[in-house]
Amino acid sequence: MTTMATSTIVGALACQRNSFLKTFQTKVVSCKEYEPIKTSRDKQNKNKTSSKTEEGSREALYALELQDTILFPEGGGQPSDKGVLATVSEKIPVHMVLRQELTAVHVTPQPVEVGSEVTLEVDWKRRLDIMQQHTGQHLISAIFDTYDLETLSWSMGDMINYIELPRKVEQSVINEVSEKVNNMIFENLPIKVTTPDKLGREIDTSHIPDDYDLSKGIVRVVQIGDIDSNPCCGTHLSATGQIQAVAFLHQTNVRGGNSRLHFICGSRVSRQLTAYHLILKDILGMQLSCQIEEVSSKVADLSKNYKKCQARESALLKELAFIEASRVFSNFKDKGVKIASVYRPDSSPEYLTNVQKELTTLINANKDAGVNVSTDQTVVYLNGEHRAGTGGMVKITGPLAEKIQQELKKHLKNMKGGGKGSSFQGKITQYEKGEVETVLRYLESLTL
């Protein structure tokens, strides 16, 4: 398709000059079929048939270049805006906006004639939320800088964001930062966008993408009062008061001792608080039967009782394991049985492990009994069931291990494992219907 006048470069877009514009009139400069940027993984994909099938089934999309735009292209850790492009006759959704070097590309489900005058409408609720998170992150990082905690990276989530810091942060420091950040929100400090020249000092541009031509583009510096100045291409609020609030949540440890501190800003704070309250209310009414003030002690009691139950269950399993091991040992010693099997429906390995340990203890304590599960007798340990859908494990010790595991493979479709000589250990990822019963009948036939 034909093209006309050039578009405004990314860095000087209408949305960057005034992030509070909700509608905007402009013209279509270029329109062509949209071709997704191929990743290295796509380029390495040698399955051409699959690629052609995917291309054939993919919805046709179009890449529109406009004279100017209020829809921000993805960048700086900020997702792209969404909105509507209205022509004289219809409204067309803008799925996403991408930056290709210095150009903003609008992806739509249908083409628009070059030269057409169109009106853009930004999804304002989404834009405001994004600005609250992004500006909030700038303010948070500025305060952590004063603690010699540089923000290494950050990510904006659908609900919860995080900044990555070089180490785990003490809760006392987080509390201090939270108080300082929210105080600065209350002070309603001015936020403005400037350039390094107007700022009067050099700015670190090392984080600007390599494909953004600094010689032709514009470096934008977001300045929060007198406390922070950082290059950023994103859309921002005009005062800290518009952030409304910041709440820190939890930390997670990541590579190299770094820590991700999760946070939310703006309207997300009240929404998350409401969500947490409803969850807590449901738990209180349906499960804990207590008041909010009693939750901590109630949960502590439940945890204590749960640990007691676990200890009691473990002790009972050991008792059962001893009884089962004694039965197997007695059959080997007194009845001359050469093969024994131990089965339990639940897939936890604890019981089978205990039986094997108890049997080993009995054998070692009665070495003159003629029981040796390496050279004379064979034991098959099996657990799990089809109904639970969790699979199970199988362990075989003894001279018939090789023969039995070969037979089990015929009956257990999803059994994998290995071993040599008198030992085999495997895992059944999932039992097919009837497999457990078939295997148990086979094992029973061996003991007759």
Side-chain angles (χ1 to χ4, degrees):
M1 295 185 181
T2 58
T3 61
M4 54 176 292
T6 58
S7 58
T8 304
I9 65 170
V10 175
L13 300 175
C15 59
Q16 295 173 306
R17 300 193 304 273
N18 182 353
S19 57
F20 285 81
L21 291 174
K22 299 177 183 177
T23 62
F24 186 73
Q25 289 187 330
T26 185
K27 285 186 178 182
V28 178
V29 171
S30 170
C31 178
K32 58 185 178 181
E33 283 195 27
Y34 169 66
E35 295 182 4
I37 300 173
K38 290 187 177 181
T39 64
S40 57
R41 181 179 296 180
D42 295 328
K43 293 176 182 177
Q44 292 171 1
N45 184 7
K46 297 180 180 179
N47 190 342
K48 295 182 180 179
T49 303
S50 174
S51 298
K52 288 180 180 179
T53 302
E54 289 177 5
E55 289 177 7
S57 61
R58 191 177 64 218
E59 176 190 4
L61 296 173
Y62 296 86
L64 273 63
E65 186 180 338
L66 309 176
Q67 276 189 344
D68 204 347
T69 183
I70 57 167
L71 301 184
F72 177 75
E74 181 179 6
Q78 178 176 322
S80 78
D81 281 327
K82 293 183 180 180
V84 172
L85 183 149
T87 65
V88 175
S89 58
E90 60 185 332
K91 288 188 174 183
I92 302 170
V94 178
H95 293 329
M96 57 183 168
V97 187
L98 304 174
R99 180 183 64 81
Q100 292 183 352
E101 297 181 345
L102 297 178
T103 303
V105 176
H106 304 68
V107 180
T108 64
Q110 61 192 79
V112 180
E113 186 177 349
V114 173
S116 299
E117 291 193 357
V118 295
T119 299
L120 291 174
E121 299 175 17
V122 67
D123 181 341
W124 176 248
K125 183 178 180 180
R126 185 172 184 274
R127 159 71 73 76
L128 179 59
D129 172 68
I130 288 173
M131 290 199 295
Q132 287 180 324
Q133 310 314 309
H134 197 169
T135 305
Q137 177 267 317
H138 274 241
L139 183 58
I140 290 168
S141 294
I143 302 305
F144 271 115
D145 281 344
T146 65
Y147 288 81
D148 198 25
L149 287 166
E150 178 189 2
T151 297
L152 305 176
S153 65
W154 87 288
S155 175
M156 185 188 303
D158 291 336
M159 188 64 189
I160 297 175
N161 322 298
Y162 71 78
I163 56 171
E164 186 166 329
L165 300 169
R167 63 174 174 82
K168 185 176 181 180
V169 185
E170 299 83 356
Q171 188 59 48
S172 59
V173 173
I174 294 174
N175 293 342
E176 286 180 17
V177 172
S178 177
E179 184 176 359
K180 290 179 180 179
V181 166
N182 283 288
N183 282 342
M184 289 180 179
I185 290 173
F186 179 77
E187 291 173 12
N188 201 30
L189 301 175
I191 300 171
K192 64 179 182 179
V193 177
T194 184
T195 61
D197 292 340
K198 293 180 180 178
L199 192 63
R201 59 183 175 85
E202 290 188 4
I203 288 291
D204 179 14
T205 59
S206 61
H207 296 296
I208 293 177
D210 294 336
D211 64 342
Y212 188 85
D213 190 343
L214 290 174
S215 65
K216 298 178 182 178
I218 297 174
V219 177
R220 303 169 71 252
V221 180
V222 177
Q223 192 171 8
I224 303 177
D226 296 325
I227 66 169
D228 187 56
S229 298
N230 263 303
C232 184
C233 63
T235 54
H236 284 276
L237 301 169
S238 59
T240 57
Q242 294 162 351
I243 300 172
Q244 295 181 339
V246 166
F248 292 110
L249 304 177
H250 56 283
Q251 285 187 85
T252 53
N253 296 326
V254 290
R255 59 192 177 279
N258 294 349
S259 178
R260 287 178 179 172
L261 177 59
H262 297 76
F263 69 94
I264 48 179
C265 304
S267 61
R268 293 191 189 186
V269 175
S270 60
R271 281 188 283 141
Q272 191 73 356
L273 176 61
T274 300
Y276 284 161
H277 180 76
L278 290 175
I279 292 171
L280 187 58
K281 183 180 177 182
D282 180 61
I283 292 173
L284 291 174
M286 301 294 292
Q287 300 176 47
L288 295 182
S289 300
C290 68
Q291 299 300 314
I292 289 180
E293 296 79 9
E294 302 171 314
V295 169
S296 181
S297 60
K298 189 79 171 181
V299 171
D301 288 342
L302 288 173
S303 178
K304 184 178 179 180
N305 291 334
Y306 175 68
K307 289 178 181 178
K308 285 182 179 179
C309 288
Q310 280 187 312
R312 190 179 299 119
E313 180 187 11
S314 181
L316 289 172
L317 278 178
K318 287 182 179 179
E319 288 183 25
L320 288 173
F322 176 75
I323 293 171
E324 182 67 3
S326 298
R327 180 189 68 81
V328 172
F329 181 79
S330 177
N331 286 341
F332 285 157
K333 175 178 175 292
D334 300 329
K335 298 181 180 180
V337 173
K338 293 296 182 181
I339 300 175
S341 63
V342 178
Y343 169 71
R344 188 171 178 84
D346 69 73
S347 59
S348 171
E350 183 180 0
Y351 176 73
L352 297 185
T353 301
N354 284 336
V355 173
Q356 188 176 15
K357 286 181 178 179
E358 294 292 349
L359 182 58
T360 301
T361 300
L362 287 170
I363 292 172
N364 290 335
N366 299 273
K367 292 185 177 180
D368 58 347
V371 178
N372 189 319
V373 291
S374 293
T375 59
D376 299 326
Q377 291 88 10
T378 300
V379 185
V380 181
Y381 303 91
L382 180 73
N383 70 6
E385 59 180 347
H386 167 70
R387 183 175 56 185
T390 54
M393 62 169 281
V394 59
K395 185 183 291 186
I396 310 171
T397 60
L400 297 178
E402 178 66 25
K403 176 183 176 182
I404 293 175
Q405 66 102 350
Q406 290 294 340
E407 190 65 28
L408 291 185
K409 285 182 178 179
K410 298 177 183 177
H411 300 299
L412 298 173
K413 177 182 176 182
N414 301 311
M415 186 181 84
K416 295 180 180 180
K420 58 182 179 178
S422 62
S423 178
F424 173 84
Q425 184 165 336
K427 180 179 180 181
I428 301 95
T429 54
Q430 185 176 358
Y431 285 110
E432 301 294 330
K433 188 174 182 179
E435 283 187 340
V436 173
E437 292 78 8
T438 300
V439 168
L440 291 178
R441 284 195 296 270
Y442 163 69
L443 294 175
E444 186 179 359
S445 70
L446 296 178
T447 61
L448 295 177

